[in-house]
């Protein structure tokens, strides 16, 4: 990010014909977008949301209301355009690309998704590592490749991240448990709709996975391999890839932010390119946001995933670009600024 | 609002191919929009934000950083299209109409604003009532008239409310003081940017106005007359007028919500048509929202007015209409719903 552009942006915002600071959190977000894109008149015309999909062996422990088959079924739903992310991405003016990092299903190679399958689902992390270190690295590299591919063609001004994977709130909660050190009771959320009993089971399963695999927070690739997921690796790679291309990234909720967290642990500079789209109702998400030092743009008590929170937040980021470029200054409209008096 | 449509909307939302309740606060908002508009496939194509302007005699007590002249200067800025509300309304696909309810300035009758001036600014409420009861009623009627006029031509699917008036956070804070009974220290915010000393003065001036005028919360028109404002009356009328035409209204921050509060005190049924666009940083706003039983859609620490929070929230309301109409159900996409299992 270009710090001179950031200063110029903040100066222009402070001189606009309105009370100083009155556009609240839009102002620092606008300045950050300008610094990332290297100009005051930022245009986020080419938006893509990449929804990374993968399955989770830990589902056999009974941590989700839905069976693993639903991951593949939802991929077909995304391709057909009837899912939540299709609707909200269309509303945001964004394309949706679905990436298969590790769904337990053989998709026809002609299916219009990004075919990046590393393996058919992770292993059950409650009985051993979710995947090998090589597989984890391959999932991150796949995400970096997708970001590069989109940036090359059709071009990319703003990347949104999203996820699909039955069982992936369990893996994501394990990751934030590693980095926050907080008890699982505080971190585990209902995912697709667990009741109290289901939450207890989920916490116990994660505890077992952590005790067994002993992930080391200083080794993020190891954390991803031991208790993560293939789509989470892909999401981490998307963030790193976009950051390397100087493209802002807006993250969705728990799972996308787990990917962003791994990305920032692997590559701290990537954090400067991330915007938190929304605050998920999943409790662990708040701790991820704190870890990353991010304040979410929206807080609508959503907990859907797929990239839906990122899609909704894209409108706010577009608004940030417009306020910076288009609101006139006191000087331009001939009104005396109280702060200059 | 049509309660049968609301039930049908909630049922459809619950059957969509995603975890139940996962779209959080978008879901009840979508159902409420459907019930107001009387259909599941709501289209909010024709959006207008009405920015009501008026001046305040109490400014002579030193409660604002800006002089009253800035109200008229900003009206010209709105007409020329360079103000914050122009930029954010354009981004929301909304028209802006500026209404002069009581600016202390003679506008050319040919100026493209809604000419509804009741008087040139209120009197100083710290030394007597802000206006007469008849003037207060006329300001409310003017707002009702504007809503009807817009609904007749060009047609109106969603009304946003906004304000401009140097000194109007003082009047709005007085109104919420009347209805909350809370001490002014808790209610008074910095407006255009007061420091601690300025806040103390503002609280003392409001206290004086309340002690002198003794507004009775059971008499909302009296409250408006004694410690309100001409644009606040207009904003109350807009809400009542839109509600009478079954048109949803999205309110901006402190001043617009003060108008909505007066509207609901005059006509409680109007509350069913109101959406709170955002949570203002002005402290009194939170108490107004509580009084009205509203949860704001956005919380971006904004405190600008003009209708900017309403404009940003319009995108969220549009999203609500799309999720209800366009996301497919489990049955439609052939996936088994966990909740039915």
């Amino acid at each position: 990010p270009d710090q001179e552009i950031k200063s110029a942006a903040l100066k222009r915002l402070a001189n606009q014909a309105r009370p100083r600071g009155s556009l609240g959190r839009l102002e620092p977000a606008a300045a950050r977008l300008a610094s990332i894109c290297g100009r005051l008149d930022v245009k986020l015309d080419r938006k893509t949301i990449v929804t990374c999909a993968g399955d989770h062996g830990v589902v056999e422990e009974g941590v989700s209301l839905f069976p693993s088959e639903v991951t593949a079924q939802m991929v077909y739903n995304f391709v057909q355009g009837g899912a939540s992310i299709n609707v909200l991405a269309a509303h945001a003016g964004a394309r949706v690309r679905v990436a298969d990092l590790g769904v337990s299903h053989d998709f026809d190679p002609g299916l219009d998704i990004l075919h990046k399958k590393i393996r058919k689902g992770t292993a059950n992390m409650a009985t051993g590592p979710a995947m090998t270190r090589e597989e984890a690295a391959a999932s991150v590299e796949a995400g970096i490749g997708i970001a590069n591919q989109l940036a090359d063609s059709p071009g990319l001004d703003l990347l949104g991240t999203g996820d699909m994977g039955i069982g992936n709130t369990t893996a994501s909660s394990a990751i934030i448990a590693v980095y926050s050190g907080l008890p699982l009771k505080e971190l585990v959320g209902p995912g697709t709709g667990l009741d109290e009993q289901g939450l207890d089971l989920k916490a116990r399963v994660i505890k077992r996975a952590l005790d067994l695999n002993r992930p080391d927070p200083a080794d993020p690739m190891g954390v991803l391999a031991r208790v993560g997921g293939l789509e989470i690796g892909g999401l981490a790679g998307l963030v790193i890839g976009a950051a390397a291309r100087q493209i802002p990234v807006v993250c969705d909720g728990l799972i996308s932010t787990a990917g962003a967290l791994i990305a920032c642990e692997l590559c701290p500079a990537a954090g400067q390119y991330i915007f938190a789209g929304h605050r998920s109702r999943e409790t662990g998400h708040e701790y991820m946001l704190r870890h990353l030092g991010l304040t979410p743009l929206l807080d609508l008590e959503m907990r859907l995933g797929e990239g839906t929170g990122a899609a909704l937040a894209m409108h706010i980021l577009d608004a940030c670009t417009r306020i910076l470029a288009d609101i006139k200054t006191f000087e331009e409209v001939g009104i005396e600024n109280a702060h200059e008096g």
Side-chain angles (χ1 to χ4, degrees), chain A:
Chain A
D2 182 328
Q3 296 308 314
E4 275 184 42
I5 298 269
K6 189 172 195 170
S7 302
L10 290 170
K11 189 174 172 199
R12 179 169 175 87
L13 289 164
N15 287 328
Q16 288 176 340
R18 55 185 177 80
R20 194 167 282 184
S22 56
L23 281 170
R25 291 200 282 111
L26 297 188
E27 299 190 28
R32 198 144 73 85
L33 280 169
S35 72
I36 291 170
C37 301
R39 54 192 296 171
L40 293 181
D41 188 6
V42 173
K43 295 273 166 63
L44 303 176
D45 293 332
R46 297 167 301 177
K47 302 180 182 75
T48 297
I49 292 165
V50 178
T51 303
C52 291
D55 273 305
H56 293 262
V58 72
V59 167
E60 69 191 28
E61 302 290 335
V63 292
S64 176
L65 287 188
F66 289 89
S68 285
E69 287 70 31
V70 169
T71 305
Q73 289 171 338
M74 286 301 296
V75 168
Y76 287 114
N77 192 9
F78 299 147
V79 173
Q80 283 155 22
S84 306
I85 186 55
N86 302 101
V87 172
L88 288 171
H91 183 51
R95 289 158 29 107
V96 178
R97 297 296 289 150
V98 183
D100 170 20
L101 277 295
V103 180
S104 295
H105 176 82
D106 291 310
F107 293 108
D108 184 304
L111 187 71
D112 185 22
I113 62 174
L114 300 162
H115 296 274
K116 305 282 181 180
K117 200 191 296 288
I118 312 295
R119 57 180 273 182
K120 288 170 83 170
T122 54
N124 181 354
M125 68 176 182
T127 59
M131 59 185 126
T132 67
R133 194 173 186 89
E134 290 67 31
E135 287 164 342
S139 71
V140 175
E141 281 161 23
I144 295 172
I146 292 169
N148 273 316
Q149 187 181 329
L150 292 169
D152 290 338
S153 165
L156 187 60
D157 299 317
L158 178 61
L159 175 63
T161 61
D163 73 286
M164 181 68 224
I166 298 300
N168 65 10
T169 64
T170 299
S172 300
S173 299
I175 290 172
I176 185 57
V178 173
Y179 285 98
S180 70
L182 288 168
L184 285 160
K185 277 279 183 190
E186 279 188 48
L187 296 173
V188 170
T192 51
L194 292 178
D195 58 13
E196 275 302 315
Q197 205 179 341
L199 279 174
D200 276 354
L201 172 70
K202 187 170 168 179
R204 285 202 311 275
V205 168
I206 297 172
K207 178 82 165 53
R208 189 138 47 94
L210 294 173
D211 290 347
L212 180 71
N213 291 297
R214 304 200 161 279
D216 172 7
D219 172 23
M221 195 64 85
V223 173
L224 178 63
R226 289 169 193 222
V227 299
L230 295 150
E231 79 280 44
I232 296 172
L235 289 159
L238 284 173
V239 170
I240 294 170
R245 297 292 288 262
Q246 318 259 46
I247 295 165
V249 185
V250 55
C251 280
D252 196 27
L254 188 75
I255 294 91
S256 290
T257 311
L261 193 158
I262 295 292
C264 291
E265 291 294 323
L266 288 169
C267 174
Q272 298 178 284
Y273 296 83
I274 303 174
F275 293 83
H278 79 127
R279 175 178 284 122
S280 166
R281 271 193 86 175
E282 285 285 313
T283 37
H285 191 226
E286 180 63 28
Y287 295 101
M288 291 180 184
L289 293 171
R290 285 189 207 171
H291 187 83
L292 292 169
L294 294 172
T295 306
L297 293 165
L298 298 171
D299 186 358
L300 289 160
E301 299 177 31
M302 288 162 56
R303 51 177 181 80
L304 171 50
E306 300 180 7
T308 50
L312 268 181
M314 283 180 164
H315 180 82
I316 306 293
L317 292 173
D318 273 329
C320 290
T321 70
R322 296 344 302 154
I323 63 159
L324 175 56
D326 296 341
I327 298 175
K328 302 275 192 239
T329 62
F330 280 106
E331 195 178 21
E332 285 165 350
V333 299
I335 299 179
E336 197 179 339
N337 184 349
H339 295 277
E340 309 292 319

